[in-house]
Amino acid sequence: MKPTLFVLAAGMGSRYGGLKQLDGLGPNGETIMDYSIFDAIRGGFGKLVFVIRRDFEKDFREKIVSKYENHIPVEVVFQDLNDLPAGFTCPEGRVKPWGTNHAVLMGKNVIKEPFAVINADDFYGRDSFAVLGKYLSELPEGAKNDYSMVGFRVGNTLSESGTVARGVCATDENAHLTTVVERTEIMRVDGVVSYKDENGEWVGIEDNTPVSMNMWGFTPDYFQYSEEYFAEFLKENISNLKCEYFIPLMVNKLINEGTATVKVLDTTSKWFGVTYAADRQSVVDKIQALVDAGEYPTKLF
């Protein structure tokens, strides 16, 4: 069974207004998301699911979904503030979405096979989709509790314009994830990749240290765990109007209690994205260089 690619796109529109962040960066106006989907199709993925906001549906279907429909089956699901477990209602004044793992939960009725989760606006690269697609497609039928994460080498994920936030990963001898620690400021200091610790000191790490770029692989049992834990999360946090139910929160819980393992898959792909406005031209240049090198056709879809 071919795995599904689940694209988190519910933040679209709210942060930038309309479709502005679907900025044409490729030679024919391709977006970063176009490259992810092209890479996923050649990496063996067999279906696309987008999670978006419902008020964005018409625009999204016309401008985005229509591009891919002749290439791969596409489904659209919706993230809504009021989509909560029985017994909970959205508190007055809440405007912030419930977070990435709430967005993932929206796929539970349409995804019955192993699936990958990615952000809509990160350029992950061909190799990352190849390694994740291979891992998911080789899982035995009915596999459970066997998850994966693409561990990008931190040196391949930096911005030339400032610091970046990354989940720095630790693994055991079997390359299974043991912890993810969010480091909010990472950059090169005197040529060495470094993060700022809790005391404001720069701590150097190896270029090959794996970091999470929110590129995960799950089997469908993940939905049930997520639903159960979301109710627990809300009991403790619902009055906090800014709390968010993030994927690493769920993953860490399942690892710590011994329910699931997460294989960290190494990739040679270089991540890039428009973290700062100043990054835009650099991303355009990097994509053009990949097209010139024959990694991508001049026109994708």
Side-chain angles (χ1 to χ4, degrees):
M1 187 179 283
K2 287 186 170 186
T4 285
L5 182 69
F6 193 8
V7 183
L8 305 185
M12 287 189 172
S14 57
R15 286 195 301 255
Y16 303 86
L19 286 164
K20 275 188 197 156
Q21 83 279 32
L22 287 175
D23 196 1
L25 300 168
N28 281 285
E30 289 86 358
T31 67
I32 283 179
M33 193 161 69
D34 290 335
Y35 287 94
S36 291
I37 288 159
F38 185 83
D39 283 334
I41 292 169
R42 63 179 173 181
F45 287 81
K47 184 170 81 179
L48 267 183
V49 178
F50 292 100
V51 57
I52 63 170
R53 293 196 338 270
R54 194 175 287 279
D55 63 356
F56 198 45
E57 181 181 10
K58 185 171 180 291
D59 254 4
F60 196 83
R61 286 192 184 277
E62 284 173 7
K63 295 177 182 170
I64 311 301
V65 174
S66 59
K67 270 194 278 196
Y68 311 129
E69 283 180 315
N70 293 331
H71 300 275
I72 188 170
V74 183
E75 300 246 19
V76 176
V77 296
F78 305 100
Q79 185 178 20
D80 189 297
L81 278 178
N82 297 303
D83 205 326
L84 298 176
F88 293 94
T89 52
C90 186
E92 196 177 335
R94 172 97 195 186
V95 290
K96 200 172 183 60
W98 291 104
T100 49
N101 212 51
H102 179 253
V104 169
L105 261 176
M106 301 304 107
K108 66 181 186 290
N109 294 327
V110 299
I111 299 174
K112 308 297 178 193
E113 55 285 315
F115 64 100
V117 175
I118 64 164
N119 294 333
D121 49 5
D122 285 310
F123 189 103
Y124 292 103
R126 178 179 186 168
D127 183 69
S128 63
F129 286 97
V131 297
L132 187 52
K134 181 174 188 292
Y135 189 86
L136 293 173
S137 61
E138 289 177 354
L139 287 171
E141 198 169 335
K144 288 184 172 182
N145 306 324
D146 185 348
Y147 307 151
S148 46
M149 184 203 93
V150 177
F152 282 76
R153 301 170 186 180
V154 66
N156 285 341
T157 73
L158 304 178
S159 165
E160 289 148 28
S161 309
T163 61
V164 293
R166 299 286 178 255
V168 177
C169 301
T171 57
D172 65 16
E173 66 278 5
N174 298 313
H176 285 133
L177 187 66
T178 53
T179 58
V180 183
V181 179
E182 190 67 22
R183 299 293 181 186
T184 55
E185 292 183 74
I186 302 181
M187 65 187 293
R188 284 195 190 275
V189 178
D190 299 326
V192 177
V193 179
S194 305
Y195 66 80
K196 196 177 272 189
D197 70 8
E198 295 75 6
N199 304 314
E201 303 286 324
W202 289 103
V203 178
I205 52 176
E206 294 283 328
D207 268 45
N208 285 346
T209 303
V211 293
S212 168
M213 299 302 304
N214 217 29
M215 189 176 197
W216 300 92
F218 297 115
T219 44
D221 49 288
Y222 185 76
F223 292 121
Q224 189 180 341
Y225 298 129
S226 295
E227 212 157 26
E228 289 166 1
Y229 189 43
F230 190 38
E232 284 180 43
F233 174 86
L234 289 173
K235 274 180 204 163
E236 291 176 22
N237 298 288
I238 196 159
S239 58
N240 176 350
L241 299 182
K242 296 201 169 161
C243 69
E244 290 187 68
Y245 183 40
F246 291 121
I247 294 169
L249 193 70
M250 182 76 246
V251 169
N252 273 330
K253 174 182 160 61
L254 294 173
I255 290 172
N256 291 336
E257 67 190 21
T259 302
T261 58
V262 178
K263 186 81 167 180
V264 177
L265 307 172
D266 180 43
T267 182
T268 55
S269 282
K270 288 182 166 61
W271 169 93
F272 47 88
V274 184
T275 308
Y276 301 92
D279 293 332
R280 187 187 184 280
Q281 189 56 48
S282 159
V283 170
V284 169
D285 295 343
K286 284 171 181 168
I287 289 174
Q288 187 62 55
L290 289 168
V291 172
D292 293 344
E295 278 283 312
Y296 297 97
T298 307
K299 189 164 172 47
L300 292 183
F301 294 105

